[in-house]
């Protein structure tokens, strides 16, 4: 908190300077930085497979029974736990569409703490029929007082489901991700895949092994998990915990039991790795923006000082400044290289992402149809549906990770082209690309698969055999045989069996076609929603980058114009006033240099500045 106050004090000092030197364009950027740093929220996502102890971990971490925990019922709605210095409170947040604007706004409703289960659990809110976006809980807890915000994500379906993969879109906005897995078994393939993707999108990823009190072999499982992480190239810390022991230790104030519960290490990780790193990033942002503002303000004064000290070279100085002003003006034109890179790059990126998603979904659909053709969907549907959900979710999340990485790389290219041979300050692209997989995708619907039961077989056989017996009996009656004879009986048997087999084959073909239709519909739904989310995310990033660099170009243009004006005025300064003006300029530059020194000292101790 002290470091945050230092950053805010530095920005306030820089704001005073921008107001004194009449640079409202620089003031706006500094105010935006101040608002971002003043927001204390440090988001920690709690994610994991179904029934791994996520909600219990949140309850134990904040020492309060806020997230419903049940052996059979899972969490259906995201729960956001924040700090308050007052009384505990619960707010239900819903998204409401704004008519005619294509946008939405939040509708917040305060409810009693005891009613939280009604909104967040699958039992109280099945299928999220209450249309809740998330539930916000505020508690007076010291662990949250540093700005820590704990987000308990839904556990319906687990990481491999389409529902579970919706958390992927929230990863870029998170300061940390905790993957929760209990000590009953070692890591699964979906968990390792999720960790790899999370490492690409979030600066801090840790693994929490829960329920160590239930499984005596948890140490062996922990070693196996560490081996899996090493082989997968995932540099994530593994933290064994027991929520039950933590809650008992909190009630009895038992320090030794609290140590055994493993939460001391978890809280230490959140404090030392997550909170402190967020403070480092805030300091770097404040230092960078203040130094940039000082450079812009100093430009005019240095130019005038140079012209005052050497009036004979003022014309040459003015000519150089006008060239720089023209270059700054060119940066605002649509034909500027950075503008072309931005527009063409995001056009190509959108096309590549859409093609990649279609290709992945088409491969899943093709393999799914091959599996359907090799079996009876009615017999394998549960396992088959899980496989489809896992494959579709993995394809969607991989596509989103790739889109985010490509957008980050393209943002760097735009910055390089904006300032040839140098670096321009980038907006926080990870924070921008927060939309991700935000839409709801329903699970694949099981088609009505009619089974061929014994009664149906008997009826089909009798119907086919009866017709065959009549035809054969009428034909043999011409030869003087009775209507029912061995020949007509044999024909009836053959045609009856044939009818049963044909009907069985017809129903199997129908089940397969219905299953393929269900797969196609599900794949189409996911492709539509994920494709829209990806396009929206890329469009937001593009617009933010465009506005960011246009503002920088305007700042440069303003600085160059004022520098030219000050140099021209310096030429007209009478000799008697020149020494006084030089002294004033040197004093002003000294004050700005002191402000720049404070900005550098703010990050002096940070590694890899």
């Amino acid at each position: 908190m002290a470091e945050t106050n230092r950053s805010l004090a530095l920005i306030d000092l820089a704001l005073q300077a921008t107001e004194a030197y009449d640079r409202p364009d620089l003031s706006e950027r500094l105010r935006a930085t101040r608002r971002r740093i003043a927001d204390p929220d440090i988001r920690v996502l709690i994610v994991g497979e179904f029934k791994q102890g996520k909600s219990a971990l949140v309850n134990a971490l904040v020492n309060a029974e806020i997230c419903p925990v049940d052996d059979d019922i899972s969490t259906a709605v995201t729960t956001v736990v924040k700090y308050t210095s007052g009384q505990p409170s619960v707010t239900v947040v819903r998204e409401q569409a704004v008519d005619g604007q294509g946008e939405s706004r939040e509708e917040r409703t305060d409810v009693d703490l005891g009613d939280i289960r009604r909104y967040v659990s699958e039992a109280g809110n099945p299928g999220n029929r209450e249309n809740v976006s998330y539930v916000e809980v505020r508690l007076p807890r010291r662990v949250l007082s540093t700005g820590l915000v704990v987000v308990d994500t839904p556990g319906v379906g687990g990481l491999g489901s389409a529902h579970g993969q919706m958390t992927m879109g929230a990863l870029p906005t998170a300061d940390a991700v905790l993957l929760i897995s209990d000590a009953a078994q070692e890591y699964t393939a979906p968990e390792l895949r999720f960790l790899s993707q999370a490492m690409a999108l979030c600066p801090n990823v840790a693994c929490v092994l829960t329920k160590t009190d239930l499984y005596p072999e948890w140490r062996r499982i922990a070693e196996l998990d560490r081996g899996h992480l090493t082989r997968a190239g995932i540099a994530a810390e593994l933290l064994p915990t027991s929520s039950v022991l933590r809650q008992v230790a909190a009630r009895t104030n038992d320090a030794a039991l609290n140590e055994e519960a493993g939460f001391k290490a978890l809280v230490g990780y959140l404090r030392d790795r997550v909170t402190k790193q967020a403070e480092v990033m805030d300091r770097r942002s404040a230092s960078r923006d203040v130094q940039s503002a000082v450079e812009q303000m100093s430009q005019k004064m240095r130019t005038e000082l140079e012209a005052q000290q050497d009036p004979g070279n003022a014309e040459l100085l003015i000519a150089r400044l006008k060239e720089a002003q023209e270059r700054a003006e060119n940066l605002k034109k649509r034909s500027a290289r950075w503008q072309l890179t931005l527009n063409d790059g995001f056009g190509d990126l959108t096309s590549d992402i859409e093609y990649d998603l279609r290709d992945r979904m088409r491969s899943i659909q093709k393999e799914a149809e091959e599996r359907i053709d090799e079996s009876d969907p009615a017999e394998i549907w549960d396992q088959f549906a899980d496989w489809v959900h896992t494959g579709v979710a993995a394809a969607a999340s991989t596509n989103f990770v790739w889109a985010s990485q490509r957008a980050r790389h393209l943002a760097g290219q735009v910055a390089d082209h904006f300032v040839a041979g140098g670096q321009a300050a980038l907006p926080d692209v990870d924070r921008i690309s927060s939309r991700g997989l935000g839409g709801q995708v329903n699970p694949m619907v099981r088609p009505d698969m009619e089974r061929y039961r014994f009664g149906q077989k008997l009826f089909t056989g009798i119907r086919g055999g009866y017709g065959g017996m009549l035809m054969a009996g009428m034909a043999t009656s011409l030869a003087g045989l009775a209507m029912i004879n061995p020949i007509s009986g044999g024909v009836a048997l053959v045609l009856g069996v044939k009818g049963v087999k044909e009907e069985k084959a017809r129903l199997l073909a129908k089940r397969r076609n219905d299953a393929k239709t269900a797969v196609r519909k599900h794949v189409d739904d996911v492709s539509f929603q994920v494709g829209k989310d990806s396009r929206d995310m890329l469009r937001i990033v593009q617009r933010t980058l465009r506005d960011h660099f246009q503002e920088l170009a305007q700042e440069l243009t303003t600085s160059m114009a004022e520098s030219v004006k000050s140099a021209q005025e310096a030429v007209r300064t009478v000799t008697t006033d020149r020494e006084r003006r030089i002294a004033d300029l040197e004093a002003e530059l000294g004050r700005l240099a002191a402000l720049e020194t404070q900005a550098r000292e703010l990050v002096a101790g940070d590694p890899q500045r």
Side-chain angles (χ1 to χ4, degrees):
M1 189 61 68
E3 294 298 330
T4 299
N5 291 334
R6 282 183 61 199
S7 300
L8 294 176
L10 177 65
I11 294 176
D12 289 338
L13 193 59
L15 281 170
Q16 294 178 15
T18 58
E19 292 172 1
Y21 297 128
D22 194 24
R23 289 300 302 271
D25 53 332
L26 299 177
S27 298
E28 184 58 35
R29 182 147 61 98
L30 288 173
R31 289 193 187 96
T33 303
R34 194 189 194 286
R35 286 193 296 269
R36 185 172 65 251
I37 294 175
D39 182 4
D41 288 357
I42 302 172
R43 288 169 55 86
V44 179
L45 289 187
I46 310 296
V47 301
E49 293 281 6
F50 175 69
K51 304 310 295 178
Q52 296 296 300
K54 298 190 297 296
S55 297
L57 180 90
V58 174
N59 292 343
L61 183 63
V62 300
N63 191 24
E65 296 293 332
I66 52 175
C67 298
V69 177
D70 196 281
D71 291 337
D72 301 318
I73 304 303
S74 62
T75 302
V77 173
T78 298
T79 305
V80 179
V81 186
K82 293 184 174 184
Y83 175 75
T84 181
S85 58
Q87 294 297 317
S89 63
V90 178
T91 303
V92 176
V93 182
R94 296 178 175 88
E95 291 287 338
Q96 297 293 336
V98 179
D99 294 340
Q101 300 183 21
E103 299 177 353
S104 61
R105 60 178 176 82
E106 286 188 349
E107 180 185 88
R108 303 173 66 87
T109 306
D110 293 334
V111 300
D112 292 336
L113 187 61
D115 292 337
I116 190 171
R117 174 182 287 267
R118 170 188 167 189
Y119 298 98
V120 304
S121 73
E122 186 68 15
N125 187 16
N128 193 14
R129 65 186 180 190
E130 296 281 350
N131 194 30
V132 177
S133 297
Y134 64 93
V135 173
E136 182 178 287
V137 181
R138 291 185 176 270
L139 296 172
R141 294 293 185 271
R142 186 173 64 179
V143 70
L144 304 173
S145 62
T146 58
L148 202 67
V149 177
V150 182
V151 183
D152 182 21
T153 60
V156 180
L159 294 176
S161 68
H163 188 107
Q165 284 296 331
M166 294 308 159
T167 59
M168 188 62 64
L171 291 182
T173 67
D175 295 284
V177 173
L178 301 182
L179 176 70
I180 312 303
S181 180
D182 66 27
Q185 64 176 13
E186 54 195 288
Y187 281 141
T188 62
E191 288 173 325
L192 292 173
R193 182 176 60 248
F194 181 88
L195 281 170
S196 297
Q197 294 169 340
M199 294 288 290
L201 296 177
C202 184
N204 297 297
V205 178
C207 305
V208 180
L209 191 69
T210 60
K211 304 180 183 180
T212 56
D213 57 296
L214 291 180
Y215 302 102
E217 295 294 317
W218 68 264
R219 292 179 179 82
R220 184 176 66 86
I221 296 297
E223 287 304 313
L224 291 173
D225 286 343
R226 291 189 178 98
H228 289 311
L229 295 175
T230 301
R231 285 188 292 274
I234 300 172
E237 191 170 344
L238 183 67
L239 304 169
T241 63
S242 169
S243 300
V244 173
L245 294 183
R246 161 75 169 184
Q247 291 172 323
V248 173
R251 286 197 302 268
T252 60
N253 199 23
D254 190 328
L257 192 60
N258 187 58
E259 181 82 23
E260 184 180 351
F263 275 76
K264 183 177 180 180
L266 176 59
V267 173
Y269 172 85
L270 295 174
R271 180 187 64 244
D272 299 333
R273 290 284 298 277
V274 180
T275 303
K276 288 185 177 180
Q277 183 168 345
E279 292 177 351
V280 168
M281 297 305 293
D282 286 344
R283 289 201 304 270
R284 291 177 183 174
S285 178
S287 175
R288 181 191 63 212
D289 288 346
V290 169
Q291 289 184 64
S292 175
V294 168
E295 174 63 25
Q296 298 280 0
M297 291 183 288
S298 300
Q299 176 68 38
K300 172 186 174 182
M301 298 180 191
R302 285 197 300 265
T303 299
E304 184 181 353
L305 180 62
E306 185 178 347
Q308 294 283 8
Q309 291 174 336
D310 190 2
N313 289 329
E315 294 301 326
L316 180 61
L317 174 62
I318 293 172
R320 292 203 310 266
L321 288 172
K322 286 184 176 180
E323 291 178 0
Q325 183 181 4
E326 184 178 357
R327 289 195 298 270
E329 289 285 356
N330 289 335
L331 286 173
K332 298 193 297 182
K333 296 180 180 178
R334 296 182 63 86
S335 59
R337 189 182 180 191
W338 75 269
Q339 294 263 32
L340 296 176
T341 301
L342 180 66
N343 295 330
D344 295 346
F346 272 94
D348 294 341
L349 177 55
T350 300
S351 177
D352 290 346
I353 295 302
E354 289 180 351
Y355 175 81
D356 177 76
L357 180 63
R358 287 197 303 269
D359 183 61
R360 293 178 187 275
M361 294 299 177
R362 184 173 60 181
S363 297
I364 293 173
Q365 181 176 320
K366 181 180 178 181
E367 185 175 353
E369 291 180 352
E370 290 175 352
R371 293 194 176 196
I372 290 173
D373 287 334
E374 294 171 356
S375 59
D376 186 348
E379 297 177 355
I380 66 164
W381 181 258
D382 291 339
Q383 298 86 347
F384 174 76
D386 289 341
W387 175 84
V388 171
H389 288 150
T390 300
V392 167
S397 59
T398 301
N399 177 265
F400 173 71
V401 171
W402 188 48
S404 299
Q405 291 175 324
R406 286 278 303 272
R408 243 181 291 177
H409 176 71
L410 183 55
Q413 287 183 318
V414 174
D416 290 341
H417 292 167
F418 184 85
V419 182
Q423 288 289 331
L426 280 174
D428 194 342
V429 177
D430 288 340
R431 296 289 183 177
I432 298 167
S433 56
S434 61
R435 184 172 180 85
L437 308 179
Q440 290 291 335
V441 179
N442 294 323
M444 185 167 58
V445 178
R446 178 189 177 101
D448 183 15
M449 298 183 183
E450 184 180 355
R451 300 299 296 268
Y452 202 23
R453 307 188 183 282
F454 176 77
Q456 294 173 302
K457 294 179 182 179
L458 181 62
F459 177 76
T460 302
I462 292 174
R463 183 177 58 186
Y466 179 73
M469 183 183 66
L470 287 179
M471 290 187 294
M474 292 178 64
T476 56
S477 65
L478 298 176
L481 298 177
M483 178 70 70
I484 301 176
N485 57 69
I487 297 177
S488 63
V491 172
L493 180 61
V494 170
L495 292 181
V497 172
K498 181 175 181 295
V500 170
K501 290 183 177 179
E502 288 178 348
E503 182 65 12
K504 182 179 180 181
R506 186 190 69 82
L507 290 176
L508 177 60
K510 183 179 182 300
R511 289 196 294 272
R512 287 173 174 170
N513 287 332
D514 290 345
K516 291 178 182 179
T517 300
V519 171
R520 294 189 193 106
K521 186 177 184 304
H522 181 65
V523 169
D524 286 344
D525 289 345
V526 174
S527 298
F528 173 78
Q529 185 61 59
V530 175
K532 180 182 183 302
D533 289 339
S534 294
R535 287 192 300 273
D536 289 346
M537 180 268 290
L538 294 175
R539 188 161 50 247
I540 292 172
V541 174
Q542 181 183 11
R543 290 174 179 172
T544 304
L545 289 174
R546 179 199 62 196
D547 295 343
H548 173 77
F549 287 113
Q550 282 181 343
E551 289 173 3
L552 287 181
Q554 183 60 48
E555 290 175 6
L556 289 173
T557 302
T558 302
S559 297
M560 290 299 103
E562 292 194 354
S563 296
V564 171
K565 181 180 178 181
S566 64
Q568 291 172 338
E569 291 176 349
V571 175
R572 296 190 293 269
T573 304
V574 296
T575 305
T576 55
D577 295 333
R578 195 176 302 280
E579 291 184 1
R580 180 175 57 81
R581 182 57 182 163
I582 289 174
D584 290 343
L585 289 171
E586 288 177 342
E588 295 290 346
L589 285 171
R591 282 189 280 271
L592 288 175
L595 180 59
E596 184 178 15
T597 299
Q598 291 186 47
R600 295 184 185 279
E601 289 176 348
L602 189 64
V603 294
D606 295 342
Q608 298 178 350
R609 247 180 359 268

